[in-house]
Amino acid sequence: MTTSHSLTAERLTLGYSDRVVVESLDLTVPPGKVTVVVGANACGKSTLLRSMSRLLAPRKGQVLLDGRQVHRMPAKELARTLGLLPQSPIAPEGITVLDLVGRGRHPHQGVFSRWSERDDAAVASALETTQTAELADRAVDELSGGQRQRVWIAMALAQQTDLLLLDEPITFLDASHQIEVLDLLTDLNRTRGTTVVMVLHDLNLAARYADHLIALAAGRIHAAGTPAEVLTEETVETVFGLRSRIIEDPVSGKPLMLPIGRHHVREEAGVGFPQREDSHQA
Amino acid sequence: MSAPAVTRPSVLHEVTRGRVRNASRRRLVALALAVLVVAAFAVTLMAGQTFYPPRDVVRVIFGEQVPGASFTVGRLRLPRAVLAVTAGFSFGMAGVTFQTMLRNPLASPDVIGISSGASAAAAIAIVTLSLGETQVSVLAIVAALVVALLVYTLAFRDGVVGTRLILIGIGISAMLDSITSYVLSRAAEWDLQEATRWLTGSLNGVGWDQTVPAVIALAVLTPVLLSQGRNLSALRLGDDTASALGVRVERTRITVIVAAVGLIAFATAAAGPIAFVAFLSGPIAARIVGAGGSLLVPAGLVGSLLVLVADFAGQFAFDTRYPVGVVTGVLGAPYLVHLIVRTHRAGGSI
């Protein structure tokens, strides 16, 4: 699992019916790294991720995996190299964890081929990695949000892909489960060399966990690079329309974004922002 | 969370054991259902107004002449029982295919207008056009396919959403049913007997002429559906997840729709739209088998059992002889209400 794959987008234009969401976008996913895509709501993050995993055909341009167009590759072959966990996958009523994780073996199986020992081994390893082995016989719809997300990640792991794309994997989780999932993905990246690409909403967690950070604004890449390069007060202002202060995260040494809203802001924090209206009123 | 360790042998052992246990449970359930179908089949051949012992029935099946039995069993009961099994299996498998694909138990072909299309076409063919039996069947099959295509096209907008397709299907179904009722209200008395079969479904007076095409359709289309079994199971995780697992979603959908509509059409042409069998079989099978595996074969077996038992009950359990569709309708309607009540409690939109 140490082979590194190149995943790139070239002049990619994406849209739904009459709406263009992403326009002429070039992107290179650094192999063997954790890439995080951030951006305001409806800026095209999920659309980009869906297109990179063949779910959405490009209007123009192309997505290349090791130089081959993903939209022309045989579906199962692609699914053995590149996995995607959508934002809200659906668990069939009453399905058990073991059955659900087993579905991840789909691209490795033929139409009538029998379940093999390799399939069992992949499922067992996925359960072990995500610490869901104890839940194997439980129904997925009985689990807590954090457990359920780990189970879905286990399904994606059972797929045994070298690239893993995740669309907002921590959005509905509480703080401890968010960290748990991000740590798990980092483990995967470090021990197996899995290339991880994910969309996150939380800028500070994005900066902490990303090797490579991409800030998307209105369907274009505004900035890309290390978190220190990308997460600046200027980027936050342009991408999110939000004023902020960036400091060094005392825990990780990565940049930490402190938003400046209209309320609960000390006078000295407003220094450098003379255009602030409410500071005059106060 | 600690770094991923090498898989403990105990976990691998548990996974293998769990998988083997599930698979053998599924096999056992399918086998038990198959035994029940065979038993019900045998009983319907033996029992009735006159009882014939198994020995006579077997001799008739092997082509020997047995006074009395050759006619009653060979001409009346055998084609009827074979069609009951065939139509039930077709309805059950087609129903669960739609329910699985659209992830909604309401999405069965008899709810979304496909059976109604066949019925309306048949009623028009018999009453208005005075066509012969074969032409009626052909027209019914074509109509089922056309209605399926129509509902699918009307529901298509950036892909198909189950709820939209179901609502459109219910609307079309209501329209088609009113056409059928109108046509029947103008029918001559001698046509009425034949045409009412198309309202509820009936196995009265069926012969090999009706049975054989349905058997052939089942034999041809079953392998097609079974080959899509895994893709269908993956579709239950949502289109995006299925696609990420390497399923060609649109291609799978078209393939199973054509196969399932074909099954419905041929079975309906032979036996009429036996009410609610397509709708009931899948959920019953899911309850028995569990959610994990493919439901195609179990649902087919449940369908066969339902039709066999309901037809037998309709003939002999009451003072009046009821067509099989009346009996299955009585079973199915409360379940439909139950489903709607339950989804509303759960906050679903449909």
mmCIF file of all heavy atoms in Angstrom, chain A residues 93-113:
data_model
loop_
_atom_site.group_PDB
_atom_site.id
_atom_site.type_symbol
_atom_site.label_atom_id
_atom_site.label_comp_id
_atom_site.label_asym_id
_atom_site.label_seq_id
_atom_site.Cartn_x
_atom_site.Cartn_y
_atom_site.Cartn_z
ATOM 1 N N GLU A 93 -32.405 -0.090 6.724
ATOM 2 C CA GLU A 93 -33.004 -0.389 8.019
ATOM 3 C C GLU A 93 -32.570 -1.767 8.512
ATOM 4 O O GLU A 93 -32.675 -2.755 7.801
ATOM 5 C CB GLU A 93 -34.525 -0.348 7.847
ATOM 6 C CG GLU A 93 -35.289 -0.051 9.106
ATOM 7 C CD GLU A 93 -36.781 0.000 8.836
ATOM 8 O OE1 GLU A 93 -37.166 0.508 7.760
ATOM 9 O OE2 GLU A 93 -37.536 -0.484 9.688
ATOM 10 N N GLY A 94 -32.050 -1.816 9.722
ATOM 11 C CA GLY A 94 -31.756 -3.093 10.352
ATOM 12 C C GLY A 94 -30.456 -3.763 9.925
ATOM 13 O O GLY A 94 -30.125 -4.832 10.414
ATOM 14 N N ILE A 95 -29.688 -3.161 9.023
ATOM 15 C CA ILE A 95 -28.466 -3.809 8.564
ATOM 16 C C ILE A 95 -27.446 -3.844 9.711
ATOM 17 O O ILE A 95 -27.356 -2.911 10.497
ATOM 18 C CB ILE A 95 -27.883 -3.093 7.317
ATOM 19 C CG1 ILE A 95 -26.825 -3.974 6.652
ATOM 20 C CG2 ILE A 95 -27.271 -1.744 7.681
ATOM 21 C CD1 ILE A 95 -26.364 -3.465 5.298
ATOM 22 N N THR A 96 -26.702 -4.938 9.808
ATOM 23 C CA THR A 96 -25.715 -5.038 10.887
ATOM 24 C C THR A 96 -24.392 -4.418 10.440
ATOM 25 O O THR A 96 -24.136 -4.250 9.248
ATOM 26 C CB THR A 96 -25.436 -6.506 11.270
ATOM 27 O OG1 THR A 96 -24.874 -7.168 10.133
ATOM 28 C CG2 THR A 96 -26.695 -7.218 11.704
ATOM 29 N N VAL A 97 -23.579 -4.082 11.440
ATOM 30 C CA VAL A 97 -22.283 -3.479 11.163
ATOM 31 C C VAL A 97 -21.466 -4.387 10.247
ATOM 32 O O VAL A 97 -20.874 -3.939 9.259
ATOM 33 C CB VAL A 97 -21.540 -3.208 12.483
ATOM 34 C CG1 VAL A 97 -20.094 -2.819 12.216
ATOM 35 C CG2 VAL A 97 -22.248 -2.118 13.274
ATOM 36 N N LEU A 98 -21.475 -5.680 10.562
ATOM 37 C CA LEU A 98 -20.686 -6.628 9.771
ATOM 38 C C LEU A 98 -21.122 -6.621 8.303
ATOM 39 O O LEU A 98 -20.288 -6.591 7.392
ATOM 40 C CB LEU A 98 -20.836 -8.032 10.371
ATOM 41 C CG LEU A 98 -19.923 -9.107 9.794
ATOM 42 C CD1 LEU A 98 -18.464 -8.748 10.005
ATOM 43 C CD2 LEU A 98 -20.228 -10.456 10.422
ATOM 44 N N ASP A 99 -22.441 -6.624 8.081
ATOM 45 C CA ASP A 99 -22.948 -6.601 6.708
ATOM 46 C C ASP A 99 -22.569 -5.314 5.993
ATOM 47 O O ASP A 99 -22.161 -5.331 4.827
ATOM 48 C CB ASP A 99 -24.477 -6.743 6.697
ATOM 49 C CG ASP A 99 -24.913 -8.194 6.748
ATOM 50 O OD1 ASP A 99 -24.171 -9.034 6.197
ATOM 51 O OD2 ASP A 99 -25.964 -8.480 7.333
ATOM 52 N N LEU A 100 -22.706 -4.198 6.708
ATOM 53 C CA LEU A 100 -22.431 -2.910 6.074
ATOM 54 C C LEU A 100 -20.956 -2.801 5.688
ATOM 55 O O LEU A 100 -20.622 -2.401 4.565
ATOM 56 C CB LEU A 100 -22.821 -1.761 7.002
ATOM 57 C CG LEU A 100 -22.684 -0.391 6.364
ATOM 58 C CD1 LEU A 100 -23.751 -0.179 5.313
ATOM 59 C CD2 LEU A 100 -22.753 0.706 7.396
ATOM 60 N N VAL A 101 -20.084 -3.155 6.618
ATOM 61 C CA VAL A 101 -18.648 -3.062 6.324
ATOM 62 C C VAL A 101 -18.298 -4.005 5.173
ATOM 63 O O VAL A 101 -17.479 -3.683 4.314
ATOM 64 C CB VAL A 101 -17.817 -3.354 7.593
ATOM 65 C CG1 VAL A 101 -16.335 -3.368 7.272
ATOM 66 C CG2 VAL A 101 -18.104 -2.300 8.658
ATOM 67 N N GLY A 102 -18.984 -5.152 5.134
ATOM 68 C CA GLY A 102 -18.760 -6.113 4.055
ATOM 69 C C GLY A 102 -19.074 -5.541 2.674
ATOM 70 O O GLY A 102 -18.479 -5.947 1.675
ATOM 71 N N ARG A 103 -20.009 -4.588 2.609
ATOM 72 C CA ARG A 103 -20.335 -3.963 1.323
ATOM 73 C C ARG A 103 -19.129 -3.267 0.707
ATOM 74 O O ARG A 103 -19.066 -3.073 -0.499
ATOM 75 C CB ARG A 103 -21.468 -2.932 1.471
ATOM 76 C CG ARG A 103 -22.771 -3.508 1.916
ATOM 77 C CD ARG A 103 -23.377 -4.365 0.829
ATOM 78 N NE ARG A 103 -24.421 -5.209 1.381
ATOM 79 C CZ ARG A 103 -25.665 -4.837 1.542
ATOM 80 N NH1 ARG A 103 -26.029 -3.642 1.171
ATOM 81 N NH2 ARG A 103 -26.545 -5.669 2.060
ATOM 82 N N GLY A 104 -18.187 -2.880 1.546
ATOM 83 C CA GLY A 104 -16.979 -2.245 1.037
ATOM 84 C C GLY A 104 -16.173 -3.157 0.122
ATOM 85 O O GLY A 104 -15.318 -2.706 -0.635
ATOM 86 N N ARG A 105 -16.450 -4.453 0.174
ATOM 87 C CA ARG A 105 -15.709 -5.401 -0.666
ATOM 88 C C ARG A 105 -16.272 -5.464 -2.084
ATOM 89 O O ARG A 105 -15.731 -6.174 -2.935
ATOM 90 C CB ARG A 105 -15.740 -6.804 -0.041
ATOM 91 C CG ARG A 105 -15.070 -6.887 1.304
ATOM 92 C CD ARG A 105 -13.640 -6.373 1.264
ATOM 93 N NE ARG A 105 -12.767 -7.236 0.456
ATOM 94 C CZ ARG A 105 -11.593 -6.865 -0.006
ATOM 95 N NH1 ARG A 105 -11.138 -5.661 0.243
ATOM 96 N NH2 ARG A 105 -10.865 -7.683 -0.718
ATOM 97 N N HIS A 106 -17.348 -4.741 -2.339
ATOM 98 C CA HIS A 106 -18.022 -4.821 -3.640
ATOM 99 C C HIS A 106 -17.073 -4.743 -4.849
ATOM 100 O O HIS A 106 -17.124 -5.594 -5.732
ATOM 101 C CB HIS A 106 -19.108 -3.751 -3.736
ATOM 102 C CG HIS A 106 -19.928 -3.836 -4.981
ATOM 103 N ND1 HIS A 106 -21.046 -4.626 -5.079
ATOM 104 C CD2 HIS A 106 -19.765 -3.266 -6.191
ATOM 105 C CE1 HIS A 106 -21.537 -4.526 -6.294
ATOM 106 N NE2 HIS A 106 -20.790 -3.702 -6.986
ATOM 107 N N PRO A 107 -16.190 -3.733 -4.895
ATOM 108 C CA PRO A 107 -15.348 -3.625 -6.111
ATOM 109 C C PRO A 107 -14.345 -4.773 -6.260
ATOM 110 O O PRO A 107 -13.755 -4.926 -7.325
ATOM 111 C CB PRO A 107 -14.628 -2.285 -5.931
ATOM 112 C CG PRO A 107 -14.750 -1.951 -4.507
ATOM 113 C CD PRO A 107 -16.004 -2.581 -4.011
ATOM 114 N N HIS A 108 -14.163 -5.561 -5.224
ATOM 115 C CA HIS A 108 -13.216 -6.677 -5.307
ATOM 116 C C HIS A 108 -13.910 -7.982 -5.684
ATOM 117 O O HIS A 108 -13.276 -9.024 -5.775
ATOM 118 C CB HIS A 108 -12.489 -6.864 -3.968
ATOM 119 C CG HIS A 108 -11.686 -5.658 -3.572
ATOM 120 N ND1 HIS A 108 -10.373 -5.488 -3.930
ATOM 121 C CD2 HIS A 108 -12.024 -4.548 -2.882
ATOM 122 C CE1 HIS A 108 -9.928 -4.336 -3.453
ATOM 123 N NE2 HIS A 108 -10.914 -3.736 -2.816
ATOM 124 N N GLN A 109 -15.240 -7.926 -5.867
ATOM 125 C CA GLN A 109 -15.978 -9.164 -6.104
ATOM 126 C C GLN A 109 -16.603 -9.176 -7.487
ATOM 127 O O GLN A 109 -17.026 -8.138 -7.993
ATOM 128 C CB GLN A 109 -17.097 -9.314 -5.050
ATOM 129 C CG GLN A 109 -16.542 -9.500 -3.658
ATOM 130 C CD GLN A 109 -17.606 -9.359 -2.593
ATOM 131 O OE1 GLN A 109 -18.573 -8.636 -2.764
ATOM 132 N NE2 GLN A 109 -17.414 -10.037 -1.482
ATOM 133 N N GLY A 110 -16.689 -10.366 -8.080
ATOM 134 C CA GLY A 110 -17.353 -10.515 -9.371
ATOM 135 C C GLY A 110 -18.843 -10.682 -9.170
ATOM 136 O O GLY A 110 -19.343 -10.627 -8.048
ATOM 137 N N VAL A 111 -19.562 -10.931 -10.284
ATOM 138 C CA VAL A 111 -21.019 -10.994 -10.204
ATOM 139 C C VAL A 111 -21.486 -12.130 -9.292
ATOM 140 O O VAL A 111 -22.303 -11.945 -8.405
ATOM 141 C CB VAL A 111 -21.618 -11.172 -11.616
ATOM 142 C CG1 VAL A 111 -23.113 -11.387 -11.525
ATOM 143 C CG2 VAL A 111 -21.327 -9.941 -12.463
ATOM 144 N N PHE A 112 -20.959 -13.314 -9.511
ATOM 145 C CA PHE A 112 -21.401 -14.445 -8.700
ATOM 146 C C PHE A 112 -20.263 -15.023 -7.856
ATOM 147 O O PHE A 112 -20.389 -16.083 -7.268
ATOM 148 C CB PHE A 112 -21.982 -15.555 -9.585
ATOM 149 C CG PHE A 112 -23.283 -15.174 -10.218
ATOM 150 C CD1 PHE A 112 -23.395 -15.028 -11.587
ATOM 151 C CD2 PHE A 112 -24.405 -14.951 -9.437
ATOM 152 C CE1 PHE A 112 -24.599 -14.671 -12.171
ATOM 153 C CE2 PHE A 112 -25.612 -14.595 -10.013
ATOM 154 C CZ PHE A 112 -25.706 -14.458 -11.384
ATOM 155 N N SER A 113 -19.112 -14.313 -7.811
ATOM 156 C CA SER A 113 -17.964 -14.899 -7.116
ATOM 157 C C SER A 113 -18.265 -15.025 -5.630
ATOM 158 O O SER A 113 -19.028 -14.261 -5.059
ATOM 159 C CB SER A 113 -16.730 -14.032 -7.320
ATOM 160 O OG SER A 113 -16.853 -12.834 -6.582
#
